[in-house]
C-alpha cells in the first residue's frame, strides 16, 4: 500500500492544465510543421504557416494556443494498492482544475446547467474517467477539449453486416459533415465496439494516443492508414479552405462488443489536440 | 488578392470584397458570441435598444482567455459561426455589415448577407495567440456579467481574415475545396 496525498494531486492537475494549453505534445507539433512543408493548397499552406507561428507565440509568451481552453477531460488510472489521503479524489481533481484555469489565465467555459447556462466561473466540474488498475501508482492524463470540434462528433450504431466498410464510411461521413467547423487539420478519434457509451469513451481516448504510433492490431492499423489517405483526398484542407491536409492522424481504439452490434463513435479534435500525462 | 481596409466600412466598400480575398482589417470591431447574441436578439424583438451600434459595423465571434497583466487581451481566435445563425439575419437586416468567425453558415444567413450586401470573413481557427497580437485595445462595453461572452469594443491593426461569403453569395468553402480536388 502506498499513500498519495490529495495536495499532490491538486498541484499536478493544476500544472498539467496550464502546460497542456500552452504547449502541444511533440508529435502534434511535429505533425503540424511537417504538414506545412508538404501542403500544396495555396491558402492551406498559408494557414499552416499561421498555425506554426501561433505555436511559437503561445510557447514564448505563455498565451493559450487557442482561446477555447476546453472542458477538462481526465483519464485517471488508480492503482489498487494506492491509498488516497486528504480529501475525496474527485474534489481534489476539480480543485486542481479550478486553480489551473485561474492561475494559467485560461478561459472558464463551463455552464452549470445545460439549459439554464450559468457559467461556473472556474471551469469545473471536469469530466473524469477512472480505471482501477494493478499496482501502487496513480496515472493522470488530462486532455482539455475544445467544443468547435466536439460539436462535430458522432455516434453510429451500425449492424454487424456493415463490417469494416461500414465503419470507414461512417468516419468519412463524419469528417465531410464537419468540414471547416472542426478547425482542420483535425485528428480523428474513433471508437469501435463496446456499447453506446463505451464507443464514445474509446473515441476520446484514441485522441490522446501518440499520432505517430498507430494501432497495435494490424487490421486496425491498416484501416487507420487507409482512412487518413481517403480523408486527405476530400480536399477540405486547413481551415476548410482547400488543401491536402484535412487530417493529421486517424486513431482507432477497439473493444469487444455484442453479437448484435457494431457501435462506432467518431470524436473530432481540431489541430489543438492537447494532452499531458503524469504518473504519481 | 491581398487587401487592406478600414473598419467600420460602408456598403460601397463591402461590394468590392470577393470570396477568396485575403484582407487585413484595421479599425474598430466588436466581439459577441452565443450568449450576447441571444440577449441582443431578445432585446431587439422586444423593441428595445441594444448596447452596440450595428450600422456599418463588424462583429467578431470571440470569447477570449483572460489577459495577463500587461496584455491587451488573452488568446483571441474565432469561434464556430453557425451557432449564431439563428440570430444573424435580424442583425444584418438592422445594418450589421460584416462578421468574423469560422465554419459554415445557414442558407438563411447567406440569403441575408446577399439581401443586405454584407460579408462573412473567416479568421484562422486555433490561432488565438497569433491573432491576439493584432488587437491593440479591448474594452468590455456591455453584458459584463457574461464574462468571456460579454461585448467588447476592440481596436485592431492588420487583423488577417479571408472573405468566405461575399455580398453576391459566393462561398469559398464550396469553391476552394472543389478547386483543390481538381488538382488531385
Amino acid at each position: 500500500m502506498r499513500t498519495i496525498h490529495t495536495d499532490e494531486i491538486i498541484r499536478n492537475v493544476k500544472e498539467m492544465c496550464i502546460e497542456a494549453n500552452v504547449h502541444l505534445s511533440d508529435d502534434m507539433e511535429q505533425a503540424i510543421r511537417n504538414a506545412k512543408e508538404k501542403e500544396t493548397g495555396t491558402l492551406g499552406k498559408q494557414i499552416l504557416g499561421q498555425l506554426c507561428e501561433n505555436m511559437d507565440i503561445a510557447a514564448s509568451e505563455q498565451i493559450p494556443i487557442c482561446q477555447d481552453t476546453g472542458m477538462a477531460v481526465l483519464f485517471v488510472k488508480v492503482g489498487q494498492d494506492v491509498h488516497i489521503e486528504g480529501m475525496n479524489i474527485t474534489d481534489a481533481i476539480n480543485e486542481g482544475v479550478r486553480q489551473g484555469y485561474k492561475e494559467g489565465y485560461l478561459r472558464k467555459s463551463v455552464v452549470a446547467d445545460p439549459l439554464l447556462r450559468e457559467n461556473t466561473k472556474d471551469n469545473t466540474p471536469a469530466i473524469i474517467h477512472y480505471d482501477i488498475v494493478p499496482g501502487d501508482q496513480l496515472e493522470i492524463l488530462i486532455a482539455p477539449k475544445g467544443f468547435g470540434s466536439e460539436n462535430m462528433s458522432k455516434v453510429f450504431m451500425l449492424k454487424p453486416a456493415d463490417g469494416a466498410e461500414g465503419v470507414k464510411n461512417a468516419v468519412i461521413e463524419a469528417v465531410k459533415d464537419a468540414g471547416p467547423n472542426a478547425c482542420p487539420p483535425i485528428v480523428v478519434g474513433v471508437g469501435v465496439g463496446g456499447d453506446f457509451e463505451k464507443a464514445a469513451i474509446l473515441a476520446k481516448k484514441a485522441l490522446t494516443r501518440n499520432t505517430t504510433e498507430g494501432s497495435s492490431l494490424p487490421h486496425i492499423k491498416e484501416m487507420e492508414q487507409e482512412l487518413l489517405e481517403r480523408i486527405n483526398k476530400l480536399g477540405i484542407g486547413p481551415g476548410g479552405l482547400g488543401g491536402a491536409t484535412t487530417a493529421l492522424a486517424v486513431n482507432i481504439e477497439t473493444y469487444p462488443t455484442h453479437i448484435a452490434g457494431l457501435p462506432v463513435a467518431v470524436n473530432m479534435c481540431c489541430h489543438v489536440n492537447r494532452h499531458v500525462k503524469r504518473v504519481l | 488578392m491581398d487587401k487592406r481596409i478600414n473598419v467600420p466600412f460602408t456598403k460601397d466598400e463591402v461590394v468590392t470584397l470577393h470570396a477568396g480575398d485575403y484582407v487585413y482589417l484595421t479599425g474598430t470591431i466588436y466581439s459577441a458570441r452565443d450568449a450576447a447574441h441571444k440577449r441582443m436578439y431578445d432585446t431587439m424583438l422586444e423593441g428595445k435598444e441594444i448596447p452596440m451600434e450595428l450600422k456599418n459595423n463588424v462583429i467578431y465571434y470571440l470569447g477570449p482567455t483572460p489577459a495577463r497583466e500587461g496584455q491587451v487581451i488573452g488568446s483571441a481566435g474565432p469561434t464556430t459561426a453557425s451557432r449564431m445563425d439563428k440570430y444573424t439575419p435580424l442583425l444584418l437586416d438592422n445594418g450589421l455589415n460584416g462578421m468574423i468567425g469560422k465554419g459554415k453558415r445557414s442558407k438563411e444567413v447567406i440569403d441575408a448577407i446577399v439581401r443586405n450586401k454584407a460579408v462573412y470573413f473567416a479568421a484562422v481557427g486555433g490561432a488565438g495567440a497569433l491573432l491576439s497580437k493584432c488587437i491593440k485595445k479591448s474594452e468590455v462595453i456591455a453584458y459584463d456579467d457574461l464574462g468571456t461572452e460579454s461585448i467588447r469594443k476592440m481596436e485592431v491593426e492588420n487583423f488577417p481574415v479571408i472573405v468566405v461569403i461575399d455580398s453576391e453569395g459566393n462561398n469559398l468553402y464550396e469553391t476552394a475545396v472543389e478547386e483543390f480536388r481538381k488538382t488531385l
Side-chain angles (χ1 to χ4, degrees), chain A residues 245-280:
Chain A
T245 324
T246 301
L248 298 165
V250 178
N251 283 359
I252 305 176
E253 292 288 322
T254 64
Y255 194 81
T257 189
H258 189 277
I259 49 173
L262 178 54
V264 178
V266 185
N267 197 190
M268 298 291 174
C269 195
C270 58
H271 50 88
V272 192
N273 179 21
R274 298 163 283 210
H275 40 86
V276 172
K277 185 166 81 179
R278 285 189 190 176
V279 180
L280 308 187

Short mmCIF file of all heavy atoms in Angstrom, two decimals, chain A residues 245-280:
data_model
loop_
_atom_site.label_atom_id
_atom_site.label_comp_id
_atom_site.label_asym_id
_atom_site.label_seq_id
_atom_site.Cartn_x
_atom_site.Cartn_y
_atom_site.Cartn_z
N THR A 245 -4.15 18.66 -46.47
CA THR A 245 -4.07 18.31 -45.05
C THR A 245 -5.41 18.57 -44.38
O THR A 245 -5.64 19.63 -43.83
CB THR A 245 -2.99 19.14 -44.32
OG1 THR A 245 -1.89 19.36 -45.20
CG2 THR A 245 -2.53 18.46 -43.07
N THR A 246 -6.29 17.58 -44.46
CA THR A 246 -7.57 17.69 -43.74
C THR A 246 -7.42 17.04 -42.37
O THR A 246 -7.92 17.55 -41.39
CB THR A 246 -8.69 17.00 -44.54
OG1 THR A 246 -8.78 17.64 -45.81
CG2 THR A 246 -10.04 17.09 -43.82
N ALA A 247 -6.70 15.91 -42.32
CA ALA A 247 -6.45 15.25 -41.03
C ALA A 247 -4.96 14.99 -40.86
O ALA A 247 -4.25 14.74 -41.84
CB ALA A 247 -7.21 13.93 -40.94
N LEU A 248 -4.51 15.07 -39.62
CA LEU A 248 -3.11 14.77 -39.31
C LEU A 248 -2.95 13.31 -38.91
O LEU A 248 -1.89 12.73 -39.07
CB LEU A 248 -2.63 15.67 -38.16
CG LEU A 248 -2.65 17.17 -38.46
CD1 LEU A 248 -2.51 17.98 -37.17
CD2 LEU A 248 -1.56 17.54 -39.45
N ALA A 249 -4.02 12.73 -38.39
CA ALA A 249 -3.98 11.32 -37.98
C ALA A 249 -5.39 10.79 -37.77
O ALA A 249 -6.31 11.55 -37.49
CB ALA A 249 -3.19 11.17 -36.68
N VAL A 250 -5.52 9.48 -37.94
CA VAL A 250 -6.75 8.78 -37.55
C VAL A 250 -6.32 7.73 -36.52
O VAL A 250 -5.48 6.87 -36.82
CB VAL A 250 -7.42 8.08 -38.75
CG1 VAL A 250 -8.67 7.31 -38.30
CG2 VAL A 250 -7.78 9.09 -39.83
N ASN A 251 -6.83 7.83 -35.30
CA ASN A 251 -6.50 6.87 -34.25
C ASN A 251 -7.75 6.08 -33.89
O ASN A 251 -8.77 6.65 -33.53
CB ASN A 251 -6.02 7.60 -32.98
CG ASN A 251 -4.59 8.08 -33.11
OD1 ASN A 251 -3.92 7.87 -34.13
ND2 ASN A 251 -4.11 8.75 -32.08
N ILE A 252 -7.65 4.75 -34.00
CA ILE A 252 -8.81 3.89 -33.71
C ILE A 252 -8.53 3.01 -32.50
O ILE A 252 -7.46 2.40 -32.41
CB ILE A 252 -9.14 2.99 -34.94
CG1 ILE A 252 -9.35 3.85 -36.20
CG2 ILE A 252 -10.38 2.13 -34.65
CD1 ILE A 252 -9.58 3.04 -37.47
N GLU A 253 -9.49 2.95 -31.57
CA GLU A 253 -9.42 2.03 -30.44
C GLU A 253 -10.61 1.08 -30.53
O GLU A 253 -11.71 1.48 -30.94
CB GLU A 253 -9.49 2.80 -29.12
CG GLU A 253 -8.27 3.67 -28.82
CD GLU A 253 -7.04 2.86 -28.44
OE1 GLU A 253 -7.19 1.84 -27.74
OE2 GLU A 253 -5.92 3.23 -28.88
N THR A 254 -10.40 -0.17 -30.16
CA THR A 254 -11.50 -1.15 -30.26
C THR A 254 -11.75 -1.84 -28.91
O THR A 254 -10.91 -1.78 -28.00
CB THR A 254 -11.18 -2.25 -31.30
OG1 THR A 254 -10.04 -2.98 -30.83
CG2 THR A 254 -10.90 -1.68 -32.67
N TYR A 255 -12.89 -2.49 -28.81
CA TYR A 255 -13.27 -3.23 -27.60
C TYR A 255 -14.27 -4.31 -28.03
O TYR A 255 -15.02 -4.11 -28.98
CB TYR A 255 -13.93 -2.28 -26.59
CG TYR A 255 -14.05 -2.84 -25.19
CD1 TYR A 255 -12.97 -2.81 -24.32
CD2 TYR A 255 -15.26 -3.38 -24.75
CE1 TYR A 255 -13.08 -3.32 -23.03
CE2 TYR A 255 -15.37 -3.89 -23.46
CZ TYR A 255 -14.27 -3.86 -22.60
OH TYR A 255 -14.38 -4.36 -21.33
N PRO A 256 -14.29 -5.45 -27.32
CA PRO A 256 -15.30 -6.47 -27.65
C PRO A 256 -16.71 -5.89 -27.62
O PRO A 256 -16.98 -4.95 -26.88
CB PRO A 256 -15.12 -7.50 -26.52
CG PRO A 256 -13.69 -7.36 -26.12
CD PRO A 256 -13.39 -5.88 -26.25
N THR A 257 -17.59 -6.48 -28.42
CA THR A 257 -18.97 -5.97 -28.46
C THR A 257 -19.97 -7.11 -28.47
O THR A 257 -19.60 -8.28 -28.40
CB THR A 257 -19.16 -5.02 -29.67
OG1 THR A 257 -20.43 -4.38 -29.57
CG2 THR A 257 -19.06 -5.74 -31.01
N HIS A 258 -21.23 -6.79 -28.58
CA HIS A 258 -22.35 -7.75 -28.53
C HIS A 258 -22.54 -8.41 -29.91
O HIS A 258 -22.23 -7.77 -30.93
CB HIS A 258 -23.60 -6.96 -28.13
CG HIS A 258 -24.80 -7.78 -27.82
ND1 HIS A 258 -25.64 -8.26 -28.80
CD2 HIS A 258 -25.33 -8.19 -26.62
CE1 HIS A 258 -26.63 -8.93 -28.22
NE2 HIS A 258 -26.47 -8.90 -26.91
N ILE A 259 -23.05 -9.62 -29.95
CA ILE A 259 -23.26 -10.33 -31.23
C ILE A 259 -24.17 -9.55 -32.18
O ILE A 259 -24.13 -9.73 -33.38
CB ILE A 259 -23.83 -11.77 -31.04
CG1 ILE A 259 -25.04 -11.77 -30.10
CG2 ILE A 259 -22.76 -12.72 -30.54
CD1 ILE A 259 -25.75 -13.11 -30.00
N ALA A 260 -25.01 -8.67 -31.62
CA ALA A 260 -25.98 -7.95 -32.46
C ALA A 260 -25.50 -6.57 -32.90
O ALA A 260 -26.22 -5.88 -33.61
CB ALA A 260 -27.30 -7.80 -31.70
N GLY A 261 -24.29 -6.16 -32.45
CA GLY A 261 -23.97 -4.74 -32.67
C GLY A 261 -22.60 -4.44 -33.23
O GLY A 261 -21.68 -5.27 -33.22
N LEU A 262 -22.48 -3.21 -33.75
CA LEU A 262 -21.20 -2.66 -34.19
C LEU A 262 -21.21 -1.15 -33.96
O LEU A 262 -21.38 -0.35 -34.89
CB LEU A 262 -20.97 -3.00 -35.68
CG LEU A 262 -19.69 -2.47 -36.35
CD1 LEU A 262 -18.44 -2.87 -35.58
CD2 LEU A 262 -19.60 -2.94 -37.79
N PRO A 263 -21.08 -0.74 -32.67
CA PRO A 263 -21.09 0.70 -32.40
C PRO A 263 -19.81 1.36 -32.91
O PRO A 263 -18.72 0.79 -32.80
CB PRO A 263 -21.13 0.78 -30.87
CG PRO A 263 -21.44 -0.60 -30.39
CD PRO A 263 -20.95 -1.54 -31.44
N VAL A 264 -19.97 2.56 -33.46
CA VAL A 264 -18.82 3.34 -33.95
C VAL A 264 -19.00 4.79 -33.47
O VAL A 264 -20.04 5.40 -33.73
CB VAL A 264 -18.74 3.36 -35.50
CG1 VAL A 264 -17.56 4.20 -35.97
CG2 VAL A 264 -18.63 1.94 -36.04
N ALA A 265 -18.00 5.30 -32.77
CA ALA A 265 -18.04 6.71 -32.36
C ALA A 265 -16.89 7.44 -33.01
O ALA A 265 -15.77 6.90 -33.09
CB ALA A 265 -17.95 6.82 -30.85
N VAL A 266 -17.17 8.63 -33.50
CA VAL A 266 -16.12 9.45 -34.12
C VAL A 266 -16.02 10.74 -33.32
O VAL A 266 -16.94 11.54 -33.30
CB VAL A 266 -16.47 9.77 -35.60
CG1 VAL A 266 -15.32 10.51 -36.25
CG2 VAL A 266 -16.78 8.48 -36.36
N ASN A 267 -14.89 10.89 -32.61
CA ASN A 267 -14.66 12.10 -31.82
C ASN A 267 -13.67 12.97 -32.58
O ASN A 267 -12.52 12.59 -32.80
CB ASN A 267 -14.12 11.72 -30.44
CG ASN A 267 -14.22 12.84 -29.41
OD1 ASN A 267 -13.67 12.75 -28.32
ND2 ASN A 267 -14.93 13.91 -29.73
N MET A 268 -14.14 14.13 -33.02
CA MET A 268 -13.29 15.04 -33.78
C MET A 268 -12.44 15.87 -32.83
O MET A 268 -12.94 16.33 -31.80
CB MET A 268 -14.17 16.03 -34.56
CG MET A 268 -15.06 15.38 -35.56
SD MET A 268 -14.05 14.74 -36.89
CE MET A 268 -15.34 13.89 -37.79
N CYS A 269 -11.21 16.10 -33.21
CA CYS A 269 -10.41 17.09 -32.49
C CYS A 269 -9.70 17.98 -33.48
O CYS A 269 -9.17 17.52 -34.48
CB CYS A 269 -9.40 16.44 -31.54
SG CYS A 269 -8.74 17.65 -30.38
N CYS A 270 -9.72 19.27 -33.20
CA CYS A 270 -9.00 20.25 -34.03
C CYS A 270 -7.50 19.97 -33.93
O CYS A 270 -7.07 19.07 -33.21
CB CYS A 270 -9.32 21.64 -33.52
SG CYS A 270 -8.86 21.83 -31.78
N HIS A 271 -6.72 20.79 -34.62
CA HIS A 271 -5.26 20.62 -34.56
C HIS A 271 -4.70 20.92 -33.17
O HIS A 271 -3.57 20.57 -32.87
CB HIS A 271 -4.58 21.49 -35.62
CG HIS A 271 -5.05 22.92 -35.59
ND1 HIS A 271 -4.47 23.85 -34.78
CD2 HIS A 271 -6.07 23.54 -36.23
CE1 HIS A 271 -5.12 25.01 -34.94
NE2 HIS A 271 -6.09 24.85 -35.81
N VAL A 272 -5.51 21.60 -32.31
CA VAL A 272 -5.06 21.84 -30.94
C VAL A 272 -5.49 20.64 -30.09
O VAL A 272 -6.34 20.73 -29.21
CB VAL A 272 -5.63 23.18 -30.40
CG1 VAL A 272 -4.92 23.57 -29.10
CG2 VAL A 272 -5.48 24.28 -31.42
N ASN A 273 -4.88 19.50 -30.41
CA ASN A 273 -5.20 18.24 -29.73
C ASN A 273 -4.27 18.11 -28.52
O ASN A 273 -3.14 17.68 -28.64
CB ASN A 273 -5.01 17.08 -30.72
CG ASN A 273 -5.31 15.72 -30.10
OD1 ASN A 273 -6.00 15.62 -29.11
ND2 ASN A 273 -4.74 14.68 -30.68
N ARG A 274 -4.78 18.53 -27.34
CA ARG A 274 -3.94 18.70 -26.16
C ARG A 274 -4.04 17.52 -25.21
O ARG A 274 -5.15 17.05 -24.93
CB ARG A 274 -4.41 19.97 -25.40
CG ARG A 274 -4.29 21.23 -26.18
CD ARG A 274 -5.12 22.35 -25.58
NE ARG A 274 -6.53 22.17 -25.90
CZ ARG A 274 -7.41 23.18 -26.04
NH1 ARG A 274 -7.02 24.42 -25.87
NH2 ARG A 274 -8.66 22.93 -26.32
N HIS A 275 -2.93 17.07 -24.74
CA HIS A 275 -2.95 16.06 -23.69
C HIS A 275 -1.61 15.99 -22.98
O HIS A 275 -0.55 16.08 -23.60
CB HIS A 275 -3.34 14.67 -24.23
CG HIS A 275 -2.73 14.34 -25.56
ND1 HIS A 275 -1.49 13.78 -25.66
CD2 HIS A 275 -3.17 14.51 -26.80
CE1 HIS A 275 -1.21 13.60 -26.96
NE2 HIS A 275 -2.21 14.05 -27.66
N VAL A 276 -1.69 15.88 -21.65
CA VAL A 276 -0.48 15.77 -20.83
C VAL A 276 -0.71 14.63 -19.83
O VAL A 276 -1.78 14.50 -19.27
CB VAL A 276 -0.22 17.08 -20.04
CG1 VAL A 276 0.91 16.91 -19.04
CG2 VAL A 276 0.10 18.22 -20.99
N LYS A 277 0.34 13.80 -19.66
CA LYS A 277 0.20 12.67 -18.74
C LYS A 277 1.28 12.73 -17.67
O LYS A 277 2.43 13.07 -17.97
CB LYS A 277 0.33 11.35 -19.54
CG LYS A 277 0.10 10.12 -18.71
CD LYS A 277 -0.09 8.89 -19.58
CE LYS A 277 1.22 8.32 -20.05
NZ LYS A 277 1.03 7.10 -20.89
N ARG A 278 0.91 12.41 -16.45
CA ARG A 278 1.90 12.28 -15.38
C ARG A 278 1.57 11.05 -14.54
O ARG A 278 0.40 10.72 -14.37
CB ARG A 278 1.90 13.51 -14.45
CG ARG A 278 2.56 14.72 -15.08
CD ARG A 278 2.74 15.82 -14.05
NE ARG A 278 3.14 17.06 -14.70
CZ ARG A 278 3.29 18.21 -14.08
NH1 ARG A 278 3.08 18.29 -12.78
NH2 ARG A 278 3.66 19.29 -14.75
N VAL A 279 2.61 10.43 -14.02
CA VAL A 279 2.42 9.27 -13.14
C VAL A 279 2.92 9.66 -11.76
O VAL A 279 4.07 10.07 -11.60
CB VAL A 279 3.19 8.04 -13.67
CG1 VAL A 279 2.98 6.85 -12.73
CG2 VAL A 279 2.72 7.68 -15.09
N LEU A 280 2.05 9.54 -10.76
CA LEU A 280 2.45 9.88 -9.39
C LEU A 280 2.78 8.59 -8.64
O LEU A 280 2.20 7.55 -8.89
CB LEU A 280 1.33 10.62 -8.66
CG LEU A 280 0.70 11.84 -9.31
CD1 LEU A 280 -0.26 12.52 -8.34
CD2 LEU A 280 1.73 12.82 -9.79
#
